[in-house]
Amino acid sequence: MRVALIDYGAGNLRSASRALAAAGVDPIIVSQPAGLAATDTIVVPGVGAFAPAMRRLAAAGLVDAIQSAAQRGVPLVGICLGMQLLFDRSEEGEPVPGLSLLPGIVRRLPESVKVPHMGWNTLEPRGASPLFAGLPLRPFAYFVHSYIVRPADPACVAAETEYGTRFASIVHSGRIWGLQFHPEKSSAVGARLLRNLLAQIAGERRVAPRGTI
């Protein structure tokens, strides 16, 4: 599987690359649209703020390239900020359009909790999915974020997490996935989720039964 890891100056490329390698793929770092021409899967990592990230993607010509690839049916995975960029817009900073691959907006976490949300928290799957094979019923993952997505279509929420409010910690619609947490920081749970996700993208179903990591 040829996995393109997008480099737009806002991603934790080194740790994301190591996590993907541990999951069984050797990602190719891509910073130009031409690098997406023959890819099997696109991964958009990210840390930082929504508007500067979108400006950097646009400056590199990657917005149109990512959108075109998604329209062709190329699987796309957004991680942390990369998940938020999949949506229409964010309340963070100046108003800048997102990738608009999934309808919805990005909102700040409520003032009733400490922001950023940093540390371990549970994923609560909404329904059965091969993505959660081999995992405990409510696995722990590692989060670092101040904003959350509010999808227009609740059916795309694959897992939720509670922190001042319930929010979408995993989204999935068609061939698009988003992970609000950092799988590369989430130990065995993050590694298993990435392996399951890549297996699902590849059309494989040979994953462990639930209940073990």
Side-chain angles (χ1 to χ4, degrees), residues 45-112:
V47 292
F50 189 98
M54 284 303 305
R55 284 198 297 267
R56 284 190 286 266
L57 283 174
L62 286 166
V63 171
D64 290 342
I66 292 170
Q67 290 171 334
S68 296
Q71 290 168 3
R72 296 195 307 270
V74 176
L76 179 63
V77 181
I79 297 175
C80 198
L81 175 62
M83 168 174 158
Q84 297 175 9
L85 299 179
L86 301 176
F87 289 83
D88 293 318
R89 61 184 178 87
S90 175
E91 294 180 339
E92 181 181 17
E94 62 186 283
V96 173
L99 292 170
S100 294
L101 298 175
L102 295 174
I105 64 175
V106 181
R107 297 190 182 277
R108 186 173 172 82
L109 281 163
E111 295 181 359
S112 59

Side-chain angles (χ1 to χ4, degrees), residues 95-189:
V96 173
L99 292 170
S100 294
L101 298 175
L102 295 174
I105 64 175
V106 181
R107 297 190 182 277
R108 186 173 172 82
L109 281 163
E111 295 181 359
S112 59
V113 292
K114 183 178 179 181
V115 176
H117 173 208
M118 182 180 297
W120 294 90
N121 207 336
T122 53
L123 305 174
E124 300 182 19
R126 293 184 60 183
S129 168
L131 186 63
F132 305 111
L135 292 173
L137 293 178
R138 298 175 76 243
F140 279 84
Y142 193 86
F143 292 82
V144 183
H145 64 113
S146 301
Y147 288 79
I148 56 176
V149 299
R150 293 298 192 197
D153 180 10
C156 80
V157 179
E160 293 181 310
T161 295
E162 178 77 30
Y163 188 71
T165 184
R166 293 183 70 81
F167 65 88
S169 45
I170 302 178
V171 294
H172 175 213
S173 179
R175 309 202 81 185
I176 297 174
W177 287 262
L179 311 176
Q180 180 58 72
F181 57 94
H182 285 274
E184 75 279 8
K185 297 178 183 289
S186 299
S187 191
V189 166

